[in-house]
Amino acid sequence: LTSRSADSSVLICDACHAVAWCSDPCRSQARRTHHRFECRLRLATLLMEEPPWLGKLFNVFRTITQKSVGFFRTNLESFLNHAPDFGSQGEHICSNYSGLLNLTRHLPSSSHQILELNILCVVFIRMLRRAGYFSKAERNIINISRSFDERSLSDDEIMIGKLIEVLVPVVNVNTHPVHVQQEDGEQLTVAAAVYPCLASTLNHSCNPNLVRISVRDSILLIAGRDIQPGEELTDMYTVHWTDWDTDSRKEYLQKTFHFECECEACRENWNPLAEDEEMSKEISVRMEQFRQRNLTENTILKIIKKYDM
């Protein structure tokens, strides 16, 4: 939790004063892993001064700092062996590092995209080095064994760079927003997170049959309307068909997530209703599904607020 709140129930970092935790176990876990590196860089303060979208990229940074260099060294071969179809034959899918690195990714294809990714990898490696993530012992060995200066990269730094090169395209298309409910009932986006099980099992639809709601550090998926036997369960990556016209939705999905949407709403060219548009039987069915889903979402949010979940 990044906060400047004066709420006495939270535990604020006494070093950077920019991050707070809900409990001592939460604080202890963060200090043992990612926060000791982020704190040295004053990363939370830096991100407060930058555009919100930049925070999503730093999911990559935290994905690295939550584990040691030794962990990645031990598992490097399996992590780099991309198996995007894993789980399609009934294999057990977990929200772990293997599940994360097997998610769909779209590697850069143009020279300028490749250059941007390489620059980002180097920036992250320099930040990790500055934060003390890499072993000083390894760097001392390198200094003795071969000519070395600060512009060189150690073997472990190169290894982590290879993982970052994979993680950036993964995070770009597999993050989900994290919301908190405000007093007026509206949901405010406060962060982005990757849920490998969720990202690997649900496709997008502009007319989704599921409702996705953030509850603390978990995600709830609820049937938002009647779902027929054999009907695919679908999530929504972008706005609903009632908000954007078909061409705009398809263009956004192609640009952001790199796929041509073939959901029912796009195949049949469902567009927001004009004020004077006549309600045909087909449109009435669509609107009833829309109302059911909205009612379900609002009901769940009221329950969460009532019981302070």
Side-chain angles (χ1 to χ4, degrees):
L1 172 65
T2 300
S3 174
R4 294 189 182 276
S5 171
D7 187 346
S8 60
S9 66
V10 299
L11 303 171
I12 298 176
C13 176
D14 53 11
C16 67
H17 306 290
V19 173
W21 297 277
C22 59
S23 66
D24 190 57
C26 184
R27 176 174 63 179
S28 298
Q29 181 182 3
R31 283 176 167 176
R32 286 194 306 269
T33 56
H34 61 275
H35 186 66
R36 59 193 173 116
F37 304 114
E38 294 179 6
C39 187
R40 290 169 189 164
L41 297 171
R42 298 297 190 264
L43 187 56
T45 302
L46 171 67
L47 291 177
M48 287 178 187
E49 299 170 356
E50 299 297 332
W53 60 263
L54 188 63
K56 185 173 82 167
L57 271 180
F58 278 89
N59 273 328
V60 174
F61 190 88
R62 183 169 293 185
T63 297
I64 297 296
T65 57
Q66 285 180 329
K67 295 292 185 179
S68 68
V69 173
F71 169 81
F72 293 113
R73 195 187 300 126
T74 300
N75 295 283
L76 181 65
E77 184 176 352
S78 64
F79 287 167
L80 293 181
N81 183 22
H82 190 213
D85 293 332
F86 183 82
S88 61
Q89 302 302 316
E91 302 96 333
H92 182 61
I93 301 173
C94 294
S95 281
N96 55 19
Y97 277 74
S98 292
L100 173 65
L101 286 155
N102 277 329
L103 290 174
T104 295
R105 64 183 76 155
H106 297 278
L107 298 176
S109 54
S110 66
S111 58
H112 77 271
Q113 290 174 331
I114 294 171
L115 178 60
E116 286 178 355
L117 180 57
N118 287 337
I119 291 173
L120 182 60
C121 290
V122 172
V123 169
F124 275 170
I125 291 169
R126 299 296 192 197
M127 292 179 72
L128 289 165
R129 181 195 291 180
R130 178 82 177 193
Y133 177 75
F134 298 103
S135 167
K136 291 183 179 179
E138 186 215 12
R139 300 190 67 80
N140 290 335
I141 291 171
I142 293 172
N143 279 324
I144 295 170
S145 64
R146 66 173 184 263
S147 175
F148 181 82
D149 63 37
E150 286 301 310
R151 292 172 297 178
S152 303
L153 298 177
S154 70
D155 291 342
D156 279 345
E157 288 172 341
I158 292 172
M159 173 194 69
I160 294 298
K162 290 179 179 178
L163 287 168
I164 292 173
E165 189 176 30
V166 169
L167 283 167
V168 170
V170 167
V171 167
N172 273 342
V173 296
N174 289 288
T175 53
H176 287 84
V178 177
H179 302 106
V180 294
Q181 191 173 0
Q182 301 182 97
E183 287 299 319
D184 60 3
E186 293 295 318
Q187 291 199 87
L188 175 68
T189 301
V190 295
V194 182
Y195 303 90
C197 283
L198 177 59
S200 63
T201 54
L202 295 176
N203 286 322
H204 164 82
S205 172
C206 299
N207 183 41
N209 51 30
L210 296 179
V211 171
R212 170 169 35 89
I213 297 175
S214 305
V215 182
R216 299 187 185 275
D217 61 350
S218 300
I219 289 286
L220 291 182
L221 289 167
I222 304 116
R225 55 177 173 81
D226 293 340
I227 300 175
Q228 300 304 313
E231 182 181 352
E232 181 183 7
L233 301 179
T234 53
D235 191 15
M236 183 170 64
Y237 300 174
T238 181
V239 293
H240 198 269
W241 70 266
T242 56
D243 295 315
W244 284 11
D245 64 74
T246 303
D247 289 342
S248 297
R249 296 194 311 267
K250 290 173 74 72
E251 180 182 358
Y252 177 81
L253 289 165
Q254 181 66 59
K255 181 179 178 180
T256 306
F257 297 101
H258 308 281
F259 71 86
E260 180 81 13
C261 187
E262 295 293 339
C263 74
E264 180 184 21
C266 285
R267 290 196 314 270
E268 299 183 5
N269 196 31
W270 295 6
N271 293 309
L273 300 183
E275 290 185 7
D276 57 349
E277 186 170 351
E278 185 178 345
M279 274 279 201
S280 66
K281 182 178 180 181
E282 290 79 8
I283 292 177
S284 296
V285 171
R286 298 175 200 170
M287 293 306 299
E288 180 57 30
Q289 290 180 343
F290 174 64
R291 282 189 288 268
Q292 279 188 12
R293 188 173 180 276
N294 278 353
L295 177 60
T296 300
E297 183 173 20
N298 291 333
T299 301
I300 297 299
L301 289 173
K302 287 177 182 177
I303 292 172
I304 291 171
K305 183 177 181 180
K306 179 178 180 180
Y307 294 100
D308 192 27
M309 295 173 63

